[in-house]
Amino acid sequence: MTIAPNSPPAHFPHRHLLGIDQLSPADIANLLDLADGFVDINRQVEKKLTTLRGRTQINLFFEASTRTQSSFELAGKRLGADVMNMSVGSSSVKKGETLLDTAVTLHAMHPDLIVVRHLSAGAVELLAKKVGCSVVNAGDGAHEHPTQALLDALTIRRHKGKLQGLTVAICGDVLHSRVARSNIGLLNAVGARVRVIAPSTLLPAAVDRLGVEVFRDIRTGIKDADVVMMLRLQRERMQGALVPSVREYFRFFGLDAEKLALARPDALVMHPGPMNRGVEIDSDVADGPQSVIREQVEMGVAVRMAVLDALARNLPNA
Amino acid sequence: MAGTTPFWGTPERFEREQVAPIGFHNVRLVDPATGRDETGGLLIERGRIADVGPNVTADVFPKGTEVMDGRGKVLAPGLIDMRVFTGEPGFEHRETIASASRAAAAGGVTTMICMPDTDPVIDDVALVDYVQRLARGTAIVRVRPMAALTRDLAGTEMTEIGLLSAAGAVAFTNGRRPITNAQAMRRALTYARDFDALVVHHPEDPDLVGEGVMHEGETATRLGLPGIPAEAETVMLSRDLKLVGLAGGRYHAAQLSAAASLKTLRRAKEKHLPVTAGVSINNLTLNENDIGAYRTFVKLSPPLRSEEDRRGLVEALADGLIDVIVSSHDPQDVETKRHPFAEAENGAIGLETLLAAALRLYHSGDVPLIRLIDAMSTRPAALLGLEGGSLEAGRPADVVYFDPDMPWIVDADELSSRSKNTPFENARMQGRVLRTIVAGRTVYDYGSD
C-alpha cells in the first residue's frame, strides 16, 4: 500500500529514532509506506517539498561518512529543511570538548532535527537526553544504524512484495556491525528468518540469543536464501588480528557467483557500502543482475525523508 | 557535631582528649571477633572500649556518660574499607582525603585504606609519610595507605617493601593496574614474604580485556559494546595462585567478579596457600543489567557480571570463601564519566553506601549480619594487622551504631563525596548509620547531620 506524501500522517509515537528496538512492526510498516511515496517523488523532475520548510536540520557526524551524510542532507533538503553539516572529527574531542558540550552548544542554536553519527555505542542516546529537538541515530558504534535497516527492508519489500517469511542471510563482520544488529532486529520484528554467517572471531558472544541461526560456513548458510546481505570488513581487521588475510577471507567468506548459485535463483544481493571488491564481494556479483546495491542508495534517501517527516510531525508547532 | 566539626584532630589525639564517655545499652552487639551477637551494653571511655557484654547496663555507666538506648539498633566494630581511591595527591577536584573521610564517617567506615594510584604514585617512603601526615591533619577517620608494589605501578621493579612497611604501609598493591609480567609478580611475592607483607592484586588480564567495557554476553552484544570474558579474571587468578604456591608470600585478590574464579580460589585455600580474596559491594548487589541504557556510573573494573555470577559471589561470601567486602570507592567527575559508555572511566563511589548496600544481603536472608560485619571489619583488620575490628574491652573505640531497618533513598546531592558517581542514585535502602565513633569521638551523628 502506498500513502502519498503529505497525506494524513500515520501516527509515529516517538520523539527520536535511536534504534530499531524502539519500533513496533506497525511503526516499521508505516515508515516503509511513507518512504514508498517519496521514492516516486524522488524520480520526478520536481523533487522539492515544503514539509520541513522553516525547520533546521543539523547533521552531526563524529565519524566521517560521505554516503550517509549526503543521503540525510538530500533527504532534508528535498523536504524543504535548512540543512547544516557539522563534521566533528576526533580533533575537537582532543581539544577537550565532550559530546555533551557539543550537545549544549547545538541546543542553543535551536535546531529541530539532529542527525548524529558517533563511533561509540550509546552516544546518540546520551546526546538525545541533552537536547530539546528530535534526534536521528545515523550509526552509533556497533550498536544501531536504524535507517540502514529500514532502507534495506524497503529495498527487499519492493522486490519481494513482503518481508514476512523470507530467509535473509547476513554475512561478514557481525561483531563490529551496527548494520547487522539493526537488520537482525527489524527482520525479526517483521517475521523474516535471519541467518548470520561469519568466522567465529567475527561473531559477538551469545549471538544466537538475538534470534538468528548461526553458520560458520557460507555454503550451508546461504543455501536457499531469499536475500544475501554482505557486510563490510574493515581493513584493520583483515591482517591477522581477527582473520589471517584478505585472500583467506575472500576464499571462505567472500561472495562470488559460485557461492551465490547456492541461494535461491532470485535471491537479492545487498551491501550497505562502501564495498571492498575482492574482499567480501566479487565484482561480478556486485554488478550482476541479482545485485540491488545501487537501489539501496536510492531507497536510503526515501527512507530518510520518511523518518524526518514522521519525526517532524511530532515537533512543536507542527 | 559531626559534619560541621573542623577536621583538626587525629584518632590518636582523640584518645588523649577529654571526651565524655559514651554508653550504649539494650543494643544488639555484633562482634565477629568473639562470635558475639546478643543484646547488651558497651561503654566507651578515653578512646577505648572500657566494658562490653550482656550485663553492661546504664547503671554501671559513670557519671557524665552520654547514654544511648539502642533498642532495635546494632552496635558493631567500625568498618575497615580495604579499597579506597581518593584523589589526593593529584586529583583533589575529585576527592580529598578529608572529603573521603567525611564520606567514610557517614558510612560507618572508621578506617579507610587508601590506594597508591595517585599522582605521584605512593611508591616511596616520603610519600607514605606525606599521606599519613595529610590524613592526621585533615581526616576524621583513621587512614592507612597501601603502597605501590612496583615503582610507578609500572609492573616491573619492586618498591622498598621493608622500608615502606616500616613507614606505615599496611599492604602492597598495584592498584587498578594488574601486573602482567609473571616474573615480576613471582619476585615481588617472594621478597614480600620475608617481611610478611600482604600483596594485594587486581587479577584481570589486560590483553583479554582488550577493548572490552562490560561483561561479555548477550547484554553486551545487544548494546553493541565490546565484552570482557570471565577468563580475563580466571586466567590471571590461576597464574597468581600458582605463583603463590611457588613463592609463598601472602596474597589477596582485591576484588573478584566471576563465579568461575571461586573454584580456583577454593582449591588454593584447601591446599592451605596463604591466599584471601575480596569482592566489591557493587558486584554483590548489582549485575550487568544495571547498565540499562549505557549508565556509565556502573562502568566498573572488574565489570558487573551476570546474575549467576552475582549469586555465586554472595554464596562464597556467606560461607567465608570470599573474605572481605570493599567499597572500591573511586571518585570520578563529570569530566571522566559524562561520556559515551566505552569512553567513560571505570569506577564508582561507595564509602557512604557500603553498609546500607551490604544490608541488602542480610535482609534478603543470604548472608548473616555477623558475617557481613566480619567481612567489612574483622577480617580486614586481621589481614592488615590493625587493632580495630572488634568490640572487646581494651580495643580502640572505633564503632558503628546503625538502625538495620530504617528506610531511605540515596540522593547523590546529599552525599559527602566531592564526586557524585554513585551507582545507587535514587536506590531504596534499608538500614542507616546513626553514629560513627572513632577513638571514642563521634565523627558522624545522623541525628545532628
Side-chain angles (χ1 to χ4, degrees):
Chain A
M1 188 187 69
T2 303
I3 295 178
N6 297 326
S7 64
H11 182 54
F12 187 71
H14 307 281
R15 183 171 148 204
H16 309 296
L17 179 63
L18 301 177
I20 292 297
D21 74 343
Q22 74 183 79
L23 300 181
S24 68
D27 292 336
I28 293 166
N30 288 339
L31 284 174
L32 297 184
D33 291 345
L34 195 54
D36 254 328
F38 288 124
V39 173
D40 298 333
I41 289 179
N42 286 336
R43 288 176 180 174
Q44 294 170 189
V45 175
E46 175 58 59
K47 303 176 181 69
K48 188 104 171 173
L49 300 170
T50 56
T51 322
L52 296 187
R53 191 168 58 192
R55 299 288 189 192
T56 303
Q57 172 190 334
I58 297 179
N59 294 336
L60 178 63
F61 278 61
F62 291 88
E63 194 181 64
S65 159
T66 318
R67 294 166 165 257
T68 309
Q69 184 166 322
S70 38
S71 182
F72 270 108
E73 182 178 354
L74 207 52
K77 284 181 170 165
R78 286 189 178 162
L79 290 171
D82 294 315
V83 184
M84 184 181 90
N85 289 318
M86 274 183 74
S87 296
V88 194
S90 48
S91 61
S92 71
V93 177
K94 279 184 196 129
K95 277 184 218 152
E97 188 174 69
T98 66
L99 175 65
L100 292 183
D101 293 334
T102 310
V104 169
T105 307
L106 286 180
H107 181 64
M109 296 178 186
H110 299 290
D112 300 289
L113 293 149
I114 302 183
V115 177
V116 189
R117 167 165 293 186
H118 198 281
L119 40 92
S120 276
V124 179
E125 195 166 333
L126 181 66
L127 186 132
K129 286 180 190 155
K130 301 290 168 185
V131 294
C133 61
S134 288
V135 173
V136 181
N137 183 358
D140 64 325
H143 181 221
E144 283 248 33
H145 190 359
T147 57
Q148 178 72 43
L150 288 163
L151 76 88
D152 289 341
L154 182 63
T155 309
I156 298 170
R157 199 178 74 166
R158 287 171 68 95
H159 278 272
K160 301 288 182 189
K162 61 169 185 179
L163 292 164
Q164 191 176 10
L166 296 179
T167 298
V168 181
I170 301 175
C171 180
D173 184 3
V174 180
L175 179 64
H176 298 96
S177 178
R178 52 189 169 224
V179 174
R181 278 177 186 70
S182 286
N183 263 307
I184 291 168
L186 188 150
L187 292 166
N188 269 299
V190 299
R193 289 210 304 271
V194 188
R195 300 173 179 173
V196 296
I197 307 163
S200 294
T201 46
L202 294 179
L203 286 171
V207 64
D208 53 308
R209 302 286 292 273
L210 302 187
V212 298
E213 264 188 286
V214 183
F215 295 85
R216 273 87 180 179
D217 171 24
I218 193 169
R219 285 167 204 279
T220 47
I222 212 170
K223 200 166 183 311
D224 298 325
D226 295 291
V227 178
V228 182
M229 269 185 199
M230 301 307 294
L231 299 173
R232 178 179 164 80
L233 183 67
Q234 302 280 350
R235 287 256 158 215
E236 61 271 22
R237 288 166 190 143
M238 299 173 200
Q239 284 140 6
L242 291 165
V243 293
S245 69
V246 169
R247 64 179 189 179
E248 177 150 328
Y249 186 79
F250 182 69
R251 165 82 179 275
F252 291 97
F253 293 94
L255 186 67
D256 56 20
E258 185 216 331
K259 289 173 194 143
L260 181 60
L262 298 167
R264 288 176 60 96
D266 61 348
L268 303 177
V269 173
M270 304 178 75
H271 192 294
M275 284 183 281
N276 292 305
R277 291 166 185 267
V279 179
E280 68 260 1
I281 191 162
D282 194 38
S283 273
D284 288 353
V285 174
D287 306 325
Q290 288 169 261
S291 168
V292 293
I293 295 170
R294 261 170 298 180
E295 201 180 321
Q296 285 174 273
V297 179
E298 184 190 357
M299 295 306 123
V301 178
V303 150
R304 284 160 186 140
M305 287 170 80
V307 167
L308 295 170
D309 186 3
L311 289 174
R313 291 177 194 195
N314 295 334
L315 286 172
N317 309 319
Chain B
M1 51 197 329
T4 54
T5 317
F7 308 115
W8 51 271
T10 70
E12 289 70 26
R13 186 163 169 184
F14 297 165
E15 289 179 20
R16 295 195 303 269
E17 206 186 326
Q18 287 301 309
V19 178
I22 306 173
F24 295 86
H25 66 120
N26 292 327
V27 74
R28 179 175 170 190
L29 299 163
V30 177
D31 184 16
T34 55
R36 187 198 296 279
D37 186 349
E38 61 185 354
T39 304
L42 182 141
L43 176 66
I44 294 168
E45 277 185 302
R46 284 183 295 280
R48 301 229 156 218
I49 295 169
D51 202 0
V52 63
N55 304 323
V56 176
T57 60
D59 315 336
V60 305
F61 294 159
K63 228 173 110 183
T65 300
E66 183 189 358
V67 179
M68 310 280 293
D69 184 348
R71 208 174 301 271
K73 316 288 197 301
V74 175
L75 190 65
L79 309 187
I80 298 171
D81 189 344
M82 281 181 68
R83 194 171 176 86
V84 176
F85 296 90
T86 75
E88 199 168 35
F91 307 96
E92 288 83 355
H93 61 292
R94 287 185 202 160
E95 190 91 285
T96 59
I97 287 175
S99 65
S101 82
R102 286 196 293 275
V109 174
T110 53
T111 301
M112 53 180 202
I113 309 300
C114 289
M115 294 291 106
D117 309 41
T118 47
D119 184 15
V121 166
I122 309 304
D123 60 0
D124 188 272
V125 170
L127 289 159
V128 167
D129 278 343
Y130 171 73
V131 168
Q132 293 184 115
R133 214 157 359 95
L134 206 58
R136 277 198 294 276
T138 63
I140 57 170
V141 303
R142 297 181 201 266
V143 176
R144 300 297 297 273
M146 268 193 209
L149 180 60
T150 61
R151 270 185 205 167
D152 207 27
L153 301 177
T156 46
E157 299 160 38
M158 71 176 93
T159 51
E160 296 164 319
I161 291 174
L163 292 173
L164 289 162
S165 292
V170 291
F172 295 83
T173 181
N174 236 43
R176 298 183 183 91
R177 292 166 64 178
I179 295 175
T180 50
N181 183 328
Q183 178 69 292
M185 190 64 179
R186 177 196 175 176
R187 285 178 178 153
L189 279 165
T190 307
Y191 188 79
R193 181 189 180 179
D194 295 343
F195 292 89
D196 196 32
L198 180 68
V199 170
V200 178
H201 194 225
H202 172 66
E204 197 179 30
D205 185 319
D207 292 322
L208 280 171
V209 171
E211 294 175 346
V213 294
M214 69 173 287
H215 177 57
E216 183 171 287
E218 183 185 348
T219 311
T221 294
R222 285 186 187 279
L223 290 171
L225 292 172
I228 303 173
E231 285 68 19
E233 179 173 294
T234 57
V235 165
M236 195 173 265
L237 181 69
S238 303
R239 179 205 75 171
D240 284 357
L241 297 182
K242 286 213 175 351
L243 291 176
V244 172
L246 182 65
R250 288 166 61 212
Y251 173 91
H252 178 76
Q255 28 173 17
L256 298 180
S257 68
S261 295
L262 299 170
K263 244 188 249 168
T264 317
L265 177 66
R266 191 181 296 279
R267 268 204 306 277
K269 284 194 165 190
E270 280 166 2
K271 280 194 247 162
H272 302 291
L273 290 177
V275 298
T276 50
V279 62
S280 147
I281 188 66
N282 302 314
N283 290 89
L284 287 173
T285 55
L286 304 169
N287 68 29
E288 58 177 342
N289 296 321
D290 287 290
I291 290 170
Y294 304 97
R295 288 180 61 219
T296 59
F297 284 9
V298 292
K299 182 168 187 256
L300 305 169
S301 172
L304 295 177
R305 295 197 182 273
S306 69
E307 177 60 10
E308 293 74 54
D309 287 303
R310 190 194 72 84
R311 298 272 351 151
L313 295 169
V314 170
E315 277 168 36
L317 174 74
D319 78 8
L321 176 62
I322 289 182
D323 300 83
V324 168
I325 304 173
V326 293
S327 75
S328 274
H329 183 83
D330 192 352
Q332 298 288 338
D333 57 8
V334 174
E335 212 175 279
T336 52
K337 273 292 187 188
R338 301 273 184 199
H339 290 290
F341 195 85
E343 294 160 33
E345 282 292 335
N346 292 317
I349 58 168
L351 277 166
E352 229 160 323
T353 46
L354 174 62
L355 179 61
L359 286 172
R360 286 183 172 182
L361 305 175
Y362 163 61
H363 292 300
S364 65
D366 289 316
V367 186
L369 184 57
I370 194 163
R371 175 76 262 272
L372 288 173
I373 301 297
D374 183 41
M376 292 187 287
S377 179
T378 310
R379 289 293 294 149
L383 284 177
L384 301 170
L386 302 177
E387 222 192 341
S390 169
L391 293 181
E392 283 173 89
R395 293 293 189 111
D398 293 0
V399 300
V400 54
Y401 175 60
F402 62 95
D403 180 338
D405 298 311
M406 187 190 288
W408 61 292
I409 293 173
V410 179
D411 177 352
D413 291 336
E414 284 183 7
L415 298 176
S416 309
S417 274
R418 268 199 193 170
S419 295
K420 306 298 181 190
N421 55 312
T422 171
F424 296 108
E425 168 112 63
N426 298 325
R428 282 155 209 282
M429 296 292 192
Q430 188 182 351
R432 171 126 218 172
V433 174
L434 299 176
R435 195 184 269 231
T436 305
I437 296 173
V438 175
R441 193 170 187 270
T442 300
V443 294
Y444 174 79
D445 185 350
Y446 174 64
S448 69
D449 188 44

